[in-house]
Amino acid sequence: MASKLLSKDNTLAMRRKLIGQSCRLFYSDDPVKIVRARGQYLFDEKGQRYLDCISNVHHVGHCHPSVTKAASEQMDLLNTNTRFLHDNLVLYADRLAATLPDRLSVFYFVNSGSEANDLALRLAQQYTQHEDVIVLDHAYHGHLMSLIDISPYKFRKLTGQKEWVHVAPLPDTYRGVYKDKPDPGQAYADTVKDLIEEVHLKGRKISAFFAESMPSVGGQLVLPQGYSAKVAEYVHAAGGVFVADEVQTGFGRTGSHFWAFQLQGADFCPDIVTMGKPMGNGHPVACVVTTAEIAGAFTDNGVEYFNTFGGNPVSCAIGLAVLDVIEKEDLRGNATRVGKHLKDLLSTLKSRHQIIGDFRLKLEDRICVSTDGPWDSVVKFKPPMCFSMEDAELVVQCIDRILTDMEASH
């Protein structure tokens, strides 16, 4: 309610005074002040509507009534320390387990994707008793110090690469070094094998291969077929584990599958999966799931793992409601249908504008988008899953007009 009492200029001035300037705003030259949202739409203080193509956190749509109802009802009933026994925690874990391979059966609930990836790193290092980690170039796994260390996207701007961190090439089939190979999945996986051999020559041992199931900051990449399974084979042979970061890509965003790692085939199963952003539809909840063997080794170290708020009754009630909405509203089916329509529209656009190199899917009109990739040259679309055919058409019309104007001005 306080935002209604401040003008946009006052809000901006107070933010600049009180909030760390490394916490950046979208569209910093002319920031947008958003005061309410619904579905795939944002509204500013003047009532102007924006089509939201950015907020993948609000997975089933901003302020979905089923989710807000579940949150309110549980908050009114109980929210307490997770050391008390409560149904929501086990019911939510059971629902998530039903979406995963059977061997991924032990859950740890936390508050953010960063917490989840930090815990995954601890699990891997405890289980293997090794330290070294292989990550993909341009990767980003979170903002904790442990994760900055395994995120080339961040550490190259800060203290540099640690001796226990090793960087493999992005398996990019559009711009990458092996894009023209007949089996790029195998070719890129072999770079990981070579890296493991280099690590061993230094007298070091691999604890984990850490990768987003669809690299995000790396440019919204779809991994080549066979890549993950072959990498897992090499990593397992070296005594390490495969960690799939699903913080941005999980919960049906690919449409065809509930988890993006499943795009690599039914026979591929990571050893640890992390999840976060979409779980709570804007509420802070995240999770790590792993095998009984890895979880057992973590327990056997004799140190309790405790997270005050991770898996609290309210967070789990919200998580359950999000799963209900995904199923009842067939949001995976919607992602498949709308994604195909958007892909077809963009394909037509690509033939008309040479500036478009590639597209990947699995402004008077006030459309919020952002960019990503190693050269910041990828226009990123990660809208709420309720995005419609009409929304896709509007976005492509606007892109077409912008590119046409750019070409005319040159």
Side-chain angles (χ1 to χ4, degrees), residues 226-255:
Y227 175 77
S228 296
K230 206 65 186 175
V231 167
E233 178 186 322
Y234 297 148
V235 171
H236 289 158
V241 299
F242 191 111
V243 181
D245 180 340
E246 292 270 350
V247 170
Q248 297 220 48
T249 56
F251 292 81
R253 180 159 288 277
T254 65

Side-chain angles (χ1 to χ4, degrees), residues 26-27 42 50-55 363 366-372 378-383 387 395-396 398-399 402:
F26 283 129
Y27 318 114
L42 305 167
Y50 299 76
L51 178 60
D52 185 1
C53 299
I54 296 174
S55 298
L363 281 125
R366 299 292 194 271
I367 295 173
C368 294
V369 296
S370 61
T371 59
D372 225 329
V378 177
V379 180
K380 176 172 64 175
F381 294 94
K382 286 188 177 176
F387 209 68
V395 167
V396 173
C398 289
I399 292 174
I402 290 168

Side-chain angles (χ1 to χ4, degrees), residues 158-170:
L158 296 168
T159 57
Q161 188 170 337
K162 298 291 195 295
E163 63 176 353
W164 53 274
V165 177
H166 313 280
V167 180
L170 268 174

Side-chain angles (χ1 to χ4, degrees), residues 341-352 359 396:
H341 187 50
L342 181 57
K343 182 177 180 179
D344 291 343
L345 293 170
L346 289 172
S347 182
T348 301
L349 212 59
K350 180 180 174 182
S351 66
R352 291 165 48 192
F359 56 85
V396 173

Side-chain angles (χ1 to χ4, degrees), residues 29-268:
D29 291 342
D30 185 18
V32 180
K33 182 175 180 178
I34 299 300
V35 298
R36 65 185 180 90
R38 180 70 64 173
Q40 63 271 50
Y41 301 107
L42 305 167
F43 299 86
D44 68 15
E45 78 283 5
K46 297 179 180 178
Q48 173 68 54
R49 190 179 80 171
Y50 299 76
L51 178 60
D52 185 1
C53 299
I54 296 174
S55 298
N56 57 316
V57 176
H58 302 90
H59 193 60
V60 301
H62 291 275
C63 305
H64 193 289
S66 296
V67 178
T68 56
K69 182 174 184 249
S72 176
E73 289 180 351
Q74 184 59 54
M75 182 67 81
D76 190 51
L77 183 65
L78 171 73
N79 197 29
T80 189
N81 190 298
T82 52
R83 279 176 168 158
F84 289 107
L85 194 61
H86 195 273
D87 288 351
N88 285 6
L89 179 67
V90 294
L91 292 174
Y92 188 32
D94 189 56
R95 285 281 296 279
L96 289 174
T99 70
L100 291 157
D102 290 343
R103 65 187 296 261
L104 293 172
S105 58
V106 182
F107 294 81
Y108 300 87
F109 288 93
V110 294
N111 304 295
S112 70
S114 289
E115 278 194 7
N117 281 333
D118 177 75
L119 178 55
L121 184 60
R122 288 180 60 189
L123 287 164
Q125 292 176 334
Q126 176 65 34
Y127 175 69
T128 64
Q129 292 296 293
H130 302 157
E131 180 183 24
D132 290 33
V133 177
I134 296 176
V135 294
L136 294 179
D137 204 0
H138 304 288
Y140 174 62
H141 293 292
H143 61 78
L144 301 181
M145 287 186 66
S146 63
L147 305 175
I148 296 296
D149 286 343
I150 64 168
S151 298
Y153 170 68
K154 291 292 186 181
F155 71 58
R156 288 199 171 116
K157 302 174 185 176
L158 296 168
T159 57
Q161 188 170 337
K162 298 291 195 295
E163 63 176 353
W164 53 274
V165 177
H166 313 280
V167 180
L170 268 174
D172 185 348
T173 57
Y174 175 62
R175 293 185 185 274
V177 291
Y178 296 131
K179 63 181 184 296
D180 296 322
K181 290 282 187 179
D183 187 352
Q186 179 71 63
Y188 279 113
D190 285 345
T191 66
V192 177
K193 181 182 180 182
D194 294 341
L195 201 52
I196 291 171
E197 292 174 356
E198 291 175 18
V199 171
H200 287 174
L201 287 173
K202 296 176 183 177
R204 307 185 68 90
K205 298 290 186 181
I206 297 297
S207 69
F209 174 84
F210 231 102
E212 292 175 275
S213 297
M214 293 179 69
S216 177
V217 174
Q220 317 302 312
L221 301 180
V222 178
L223 300 180
Q225 275 301 308
Y227 175 77
S228 296
K230 206 65 186 175
V231 167
E233 178 186 322
Y234 297 148
V235 171
H236 289 158
V241 299
F242 191 111
V243 181
D245 180 340
E246 292 270 350
V247 170
Q248 297 220 48
T249 56
F251 292 81
R253 180 159 288 277
T254 65
S256 59
H257 297 81
F258 202 85
W259 304 103
F261 74 78
Q262 293 169 326
L263 293 169
Q264 289 286 298
D267 294 334
F268 171 66

Side-chain angles (χ1 to χ4, degrees), residues 6 10-23:
L6 299 174
N10 284 343
T11 304
L12 183 57
M14 290 183 69
R15 180 178 173 116
R16 287 172 174 165
K17 178 182 177 181
L18 298 169
I19 307 301
Q21 290 303 294
S22 58
C23 303

